[in-house]
Amino acid sequence: MCCATRVREAALGPADEGPRRERRPSLRHRRRSQAVALLSVCLAAVSVPANELVDVRSHDGPESTRVVLDTKAQVEYRTFVLDNPDRVVFDLMGVRAAQSFAPPAVTSDVVRRIRAAVNRPGMLRVVIDLQRKVDVSHFRLAPVGPYGHRLVIDLEPDTPARRPARARVVSPPEGRRDIMVAIDAGHGGEDSGAIGTGGIYEKRVVLAIAREIKERLDAARGFAGVLTRKGDYGLPLRKRTEIARQMPADIFVSIHADAFKNSRARGASVYALSRRGASSETARWLAESENRADLIGGFGPVTLEGRSSDLQEVLVDMSMKANLSRSLGLGEAIRREMAGVARMHKKRVEQAGFAVLKSPDVPSVLVETGFISNAGEARLLASPAHQRKLAGAIAVGIRNWAYAYPPAGTMVATVAGEMLRHTVQRGETISHIAQRYAVTVSDIRDANNVPGDRIYIGQLLLIPRTATGG
């Protein structure tokens, strides 16, 4: 007797007499059973989604807050906004929360909290509770670098609560204003930049160095540093230069960390704009209406109002080339100082078409502080002590160049105008130069922000006139 027969007989019990005749199910019954089975399979598939919400992150920017949903696969979703209280809802189709997922703790003047729960089988609802009404934009990003699939949500307040009220600006007396230096920490937010050995993020390293440069410049008489980004959020490349021009900045320095597929590549670099990049940028500035408005209003010492289109092109091209020359000089001053604290990749300022360098009126350089893809340099770049050394060298290079070519109307220009200038020749030392001009070594150090005795051929030194009696 087979097992199935034994089970059936046991089910019949003693009151049943003998086996019963099995009736064949009707066609209708069979179809109903098949439909129920198919529905069960579909419900099972819906109740166990293949996609997962892995993480939720948020970044506060100066004008908006970005919320990022990390998912295992590209997500299909619907969204809507509710009020009383204000909140934004995202329904993620075919998604469940990963076992490791936990709603993030949020500290923001836009977002009160973020929560997630199953809304119905096969749908995960993510609710962003708001502090105030916002404009919402959202888009999906494909995997790149360390990131997988992402749903990016930008929340911009209807009222600019995050923007501090501007204090009344009081212009300093002529010849007394600070030199404004825009310090641009590359990448930020979802753009991590390169990732080095041990999970070192470029965006974090360069922000730390940028903050240190600002601190050094703020401590120097006649200088003020301004960061283009102050936290972990991204900025479009053109927005970075726009911020610098709105200050308005006298100098623009962008800080990065290099990476290459060959992990043996190493060394820091300093870049200025290439000549080809300068030529193409001239055409762009003349072609774009918003730039033409700036140019006609005047940039630097040039105004284009009332001039023919041919003359406008010539004037902008001359300004671009003159600014390129200033940028190369600034880059060389920084490169020489950095060579004292770091290995340099090249013994000259390199040139490339980086977007952040394309300004017609602000001397601009990009500093690659080292190769984060090199294990040894990655460890150095992660070290606060090395970050301080790099920042100190960059700040000194900026100050040295600014004293040699000070912008008109600045305190530095006033001070530099009261001094003699000496170009260092081969074989000269700082003590020899001090003897020649009958000043002390300390006089030269203080006037040129030189902390020690190291000077280099071609360096321009300022010599106080009052010490010489001139």
Side-chain angles (χ1 to χ4, degrees):
M1 185 181 295
C2 73
C3 179
T5 304
R6 285 199 303 267
V7 171
R8 183 175 179 276
E9 288 182 348
L12 290 175
D16 294 309
E17 298 178 357
R20 293 181 178 176
R21 183 179 177 183
E22 295 286 343
R23 293 202 315 177
R24 186 176 180 179
S26 67
L27 178 61
R28 182 179 179 184
H29 180 77
R30 289 201 305 272
R31 286 178 175 174
R32 183 183 300 143
S33 299
Q34 290 170 355
V36 171
L38 180 60
L39 179 61
S40 300
V41 170
C42 292
L43 289 174
V46 171
S47 63
V48 186
N51 201 356
E52 289 186 342
L53 176 63
V54 178
D55 193 17
V56 177
R57 292 169 285 115
S58 65
H59 310 287
D60 278 339
E63 297 179 0
S64 64
T65 291
R66 171 164 286 187
V67 177
V68 182
L69 309 184
D70 288 310
T71 57
K72 280 192 171 182
Q74 180 174 287
V75 65
E76 299 296 331
Y77 66 95
R78 69 175 185 179
T79 182
F80 50 94
V81 178
L82 300 173
D83 54 15
N84 295 322
D86 294 317
R87 58 202 187 277
V88 184
V89 178
F90 284 82
D91 285 336
L92 312 183
M93 312 302 183
V95 177
R96 66 180 177 186
Q99 288 186 349
S100 59
F101 173 78
V106 179
T107 302
S108 170
D109 58 2
V110 173
V111 177
R112 184 160 54 87
R113 66 172 175 168
I114 301 174
R115 48 197 171 92
V118 175
N119 180 248
R120 64 171 181 258
M123 177 187 292
L124 185 68
R125 173 163 289 184
V126 176
V127 180
I128 304 173
D129 293 314
L130 302 168
Q131 303 276 21
R132 55 179 51 82
K133 294 186 182 301
V134 298
D135 290 330
V136 184
S137 58
H138 44 86
F139 53 93
R140 292 176 297 198
L141 288 176
V144 61
Y147 299 111
H149 290 275
R150 288 159 290 164
L151 173 57
V152 179
I153 305 157
D154 286 330
L155 309 170
E156 184 174 352
D158 287 348
T159 55
R162 184 171 296 153
R163 304 171 196 167
R166 284 191 172 186
R168 188 170 63 90
V169 177
V170 179
S171 299
E174 180 65 25
R176 305 300 294 175
R177 76 172 181 86
D178 289 339
I179 291 177
M180 302 295 292
V181 182
I183 310 159
D184 175 51
H187 308 284
E190 285 305 288
D191 178 12
S192 63
I195 300 178
T197 304
I200 300 168
Y201 281 60
E202 178 184 0
K203 66 176 182 178
R204 296 170 185 164
V205 168
V206 299
L207 181 58
I209 294 172
R211 285 170 171 164
E212 188 70 27
I213 295 171
K214 170 179 166 54
E215 187 174 323
R216 301 294 180 98
L217 290 173
D218 288 347
R221 184 177 177 225
F223 291 85
V226 181
L227 298 174
T228 60
R229 73 171 176 97
K230 300 177 182 179
D232 187 12
Y233 53 85
L235 288 172
L237 296 178
R238 296 287 181 183
K239 181 68 174 178
R240 297 168 187 267
T241 54
E242 180 185 329
I243 291 171
R245 297 191 76 251
Q246 288 174 348
M247 291 179 189
D250 299 290
I251 295 170
F252 178 90
V253 180
S254 189
I255 309 299
H256 290 257
D258 222 335
F260 192 61
K261 59 184 178 182
N262 186 342
S263 61
R264 290 179 295 180
R266 57 179 179 163
S269 304
V270 182
Y271 286 87
L273 185 63
S274 67
R275 293 191 181 278
R276 179 179 296 179
S279 298
S280 63
E281 191 66 5
T282 297
R284 190 187 74 85
W285 270 81
L286 289 167
E288 294 186 1
S289 58
E290 64 269 26
N291 287 333
R292 287 184 61 83
D294 283 347
L295 295 177
I296 290 173
F299 68 97
V302 181
T303 181
L304 303 183
E305 190 171 9
R307 303 182 187 272
S308 69
S309 59
D310 288 345
L311 183 54
Q312 287 182 12
E313 183 173 356
V314 170
L315 290 173
V316 176
D317 186 55
M318 288 175 61
S319 180
M320 290 293 295
K321 289 178 178 176
N323 193 52
L324 174 56
S325 178
R326 292 194 295 269
S327 297
L328 287 167
L330 170 63
E332 179 58 22
I334 293 174
R335 191 201 67 80
R336 286 182 181 274
E337 293 301 323
M338 289 184 67
V341 300
R343 180 188 179 94
M344 301 304 294
H345 190 59
K346 295 285 180 67
K347 294 184 178 181
R348 59 179 174 79
V349 177
E350 300 180 72
Q351 293 180 257
F354 292 117
V356 291
L357 302 181
K358 296 181 178 181
S359 174
D361 54 339
V362 182
S364 306
V365 296
L366 185 145
V367 178
E368 297 280 10
T369 52
F371 278 85
I372 203 167
S373 52
N374 179 289
E377 290 198 344
R379 285 191 294 271
L380 281 174
L381 290 171
S383 162
H386 188 68
Q387 291 171 2
R388 287 191 293 270
K389 287 181 181 179
L390 289 171
I394 294 168
V396 168
I398 292 170
R399 294 200 303 264
N400 286 345
W401 182 82
Y403 265 99
Y405 307 98
T410 62
M411 178 185 294
V412 171
T414 301
V415 172
E418 299 169 352
M419 298 187 182
L420 300 171
R421 300 188 179 202
H422 176 86
T423 302
V424 177
Q425 305 297 317
R426 185 180 297 276
E428 288 184 326
T429 65
I430 196 169
S431 58
H432 292 151
I433 297 170
Q435 290 174 6
R436 175 178 173 179
Y437 290 96
V439 298
T440 67
V441 170
S442 294
D443 289 333
I444 297 179
R445 286 175 181 162
D446 293 343
N448 296 276
N449 300 297
V450 176
D453 294 336
R454 190 178 64 84
I455 55 177
Y456 51 85
I457 298 171
Q459 182 177 3
L460 183 64
L461 295 178
L462 301 175
I463 312 296
R465 286 181 183 272
T466 53
T468 65

